Each structure stands twice: as C-alpha cells, then as structure tokens.
Amino acid sequence: QVQVVESGGGLVQAGGSLRLSCTASRLTFDRYALGWFRQAPGKEREAISCITYNGGIFYYGDSMKGRFTASRDNAMNTLYLQMNSLQPEDTAMYYCAASAARYAPCSGQASSYNSWGQGTQVTVSS
C-alpha cells in the first residue's frame, strides 16, 4: 500500500516562510501526478498545486499564486511546497496526494487523487 507522509509544518509569524516536504513509498514516484491541498477548519479542501509526472506545474487559488512554489525531486521521491509571505488565512492542514492513475494529467479535484498523507499543520500568527 502506498504511504504518503508530509512534514515541515509548524507555527510561523505573518510574513514568514515554511517549506513542506512530502515523501511517498511503495509508489513508482516518477509516474504519478502529485498535488498539494489544504483544509482550514470548517472549510472545504482546497487545491494548491499539482506537478505532472514529467514536471508540468499547475497552481490553483489566486490567493496563493506568486507566494507558493511547488517542486519535485523524483530521485528522492519527494515533493516540496515552498511557502513565502504567509498570512493568517493560510492557517490550515496541508496535504500531499498522488494521482489515482499513472501518467495522469494534473487536476485540482481531490477526487482525482487516491493516495493521501495525514497532513501537516501550518499555523500563521498575526
């Protein structure tokens, strides 16, 4: 069974930065699209970004564009999310997910992913 693990969350002041990491085991990492999502209390899960198996990068959510940068290192089986200029409204649980199918295109829909981590909490204080 695929195991996805996120790390790097924490408490940061407004204007600060964090880099999240996500590793996936028991998965042919370089054949799957990988996405970042977040979910704040009382809100729906929101897509942040997706990187295709061959490196195409897509961003979702106007509030995050220009501040968040996704990348992947297939040799290390790791996905990253660099988050700059963090704001209190960025406070959420952040999740990494792998697409349900090999060579799938990117999607901002959570239903397109079937391997999810437990999430890492990001809290931004004002």
Side-chain angles (χ1 to χ4, degrees):
Q1 186 172 351
V2 175
Q3 187 174 20
V4 177
V5 180
E6 303 93 340
S7 62
L11 174 63
V12 64
Q13 289 188 331
S17 298
L18 284 173
R19 188 171 87 152
L20 307 183
S21 299
C22 168
T23 59
S25 59
R26 303 189 187 99
L27 177 77
T28 311
F29 192 82
D30 62 358
R31 297 182 185 180
Y32 290 84
L34 301 169
W36 283 106
F37 291 76
R38 70 183 185 183
Q39 188 166 19
K43 295 188 177 181
E44 293 186 355
R45 191 163 295 191
E46 176 183 26
I48 299 171
S49 68
C50 172
I51 306 183
T52 61
Y53 73 96
N54 58 352
I57 305 177
F58 298 83
Y59 294 97
Y60 309 96
D62 290 338
S63 67
M64 295 171 278
K65 290 178 182 177
R67 298 189 298 123
F68 291 9
T69 303
S71 60
R72 66 188 290 170
D73 184 339
N74 287 338
M76 298 295 292
N77 277 20
T78 304
L79 177 72
Y80 301 100
L81 184 67
Q82 177 68 42
M83 305 185 295
N84 299 326
S85 301
L86 284 163
Q87 299 301 316
E89 53 266 34
D90 295 316
T91 295
M93 187 72 79
Y94 284 69
Y95 298 92
C96 167
S99 61
R102 292 181 178 184
Y103 309 117
C106 271
S107 170
Q109 300 298 317
S111 58
S112 297
Y113 303 81
N114 68 349
S115 298
W116 292 82
Q118 293 299 306
T120 185
Q121 177 68 39
V122 171
T123 303
V124 185
S125 63
S126 57

